[in-house]
Amino acid sequence: MDRMKNLLEQIKNRLEELNKAERKVAEVILQDPQQATRYSIAALAQAAKVSEPTVNRFCRSFGATGYPALKIQLAQSLASGAAYVSQAVEADDGPEAYTRKIFGSAIASLDSACQAIDPKTISHAVDLMIQARQIHFFGLGASASVALDAQHKFFRFNLPVSAHSDVLMQRMLASVAHTGDLFVIISYTGRTRELVEAATIARDNGASVLGLTAADSPLARVCTLSLHIPLPEDTDIYMPMTSRIVQLTVLDTLAAGVTLRRGVDFQPHLRRIKESLVATRYPNEDS
């Protein structure tokens, strides 16, 4: 997302940097962004219990000339769904509130990731997958289930594929890697030491390493190629939720890219796999 559309996320990320008075303004905006777009500068100052010059200083610190200009950016953030990135589930939220927040957060995170990922990088990642003689998917913790889902998707491409969530097995596989092997390493933070070490070992042995991880993380820096996943969640505090949805969607995108690159001649193979499941299902009662 561009700078203007991402205003709410900027405010949230910079909350601790603001002085005490400006933080009061930020907290009022984050508590109810929709209401904030209807405030005058005087009303916002009153709600935050600060002076109008404080509100103006707050606006300038986010690149706006004044509160009317900031309200335009705020409205664009709301239109893009970015408000939900800033809406954490509270202890007293009822079913309506937490359902809206969780779904809204997932939608906003997917939108942010879609705009952040470079299609050229996706194309390069598909190249690595097409050229691989075998693919290993690595993930730990919450990313382990994503690696397993990737194995389920990519085995259909008539290619040896495996998923591993055991650090010792990951390290052993990396130690016997060869040119032509591809290791896809999934890590939300990119700071897990064992995964970074496995990636380094695999690359030292001539394999390619594709990371699904945070930009500029230790893992991203050792990968052959990294697909950068935005970081809307603090996983040092919360169990990651929307991050897995983003990771799964990126893998779906790569699978679609591989399918399209294989062309129409590959369709009968995929059809046979699909048809093999027909006998495992009860007939549709409507048919």
Side-chain angles (χ1 to χ4, degrees), residues 130-175:
I130 290 288
Q131 295 162 8
R133 69 184 183 92
Q134 63 178 339
I135 303 177
H136 301 295
F137 292 94
F138 287 3
L140 296 175
S143 295
S145 59
V146 180
L148 190 62
D149 184 81
Q151 179 189 31
H152 185 264
K153 287 184 178 74
F154 282 86
F155 99 94
R156 292 168 168 78
F157 297 118
N158 201 21
L159 184 71
V161 174
S162 65
H164 300 277
S165 58
D166 179 90
V167 294
L168 299 181
M169 180 59 73
Q170 290 173 351
R171 196 176 185 93
M172 288 188 289
L173 284 168
S175 71

Side-chain angles (χ1 to χ4, degrees), residues 33-47:
Q34 193 72 53
Q35 177 62 41
T37 64
R38 296 190 285 268
Y39 278 143
S40 64
I41 186 171
L44 177 60
Q46 183 178 7

Side-chain angles (χ1 to χ4, degrees), residues 83-94:
Y84 294 109
V85 176
S86 299
Q87 289 189 297
V89 173
E90 305 291 345
D92 58 350
D93 281 346

Side-chain angles (χ1 to χ4, degrees), residues 99-116:
T99 299
R100 175 177 55 81
K101 288 180 179 181
I102 294 299
F103 273 84
S105 179
I107 292 166
S109 294
L110 283 170
D111 181 61
S112 178
C114 180
Q115 296 187 52

Side-chain angles (χ1 to χ4, degrees), residues 38 58 64 67 71 97 99 116 121 128-129 137 143 206-207 226 270:
R38 296 190 285 268
F58 172 86
Y67 193 55
K71 285 200 290 186
T99 299
T121 307
L128 291 177
M129 291 180 154
F137 292 94
S143 295
S226 180
L270 296 177

Side-chain angles (χ1 to χ4, degrees), residues 15 19 40 60 62 106 108 123 133 138 154 197 223 260 275:
L15 198 59
N19 63 41
S40 64
R60 288 194 294 273
F62 287 93
S123 181
R133 69 184 183 92
F138 287 3
F154 282 86
E197 290 177 352
C223 288
L260 293 171
E275 290 173 351

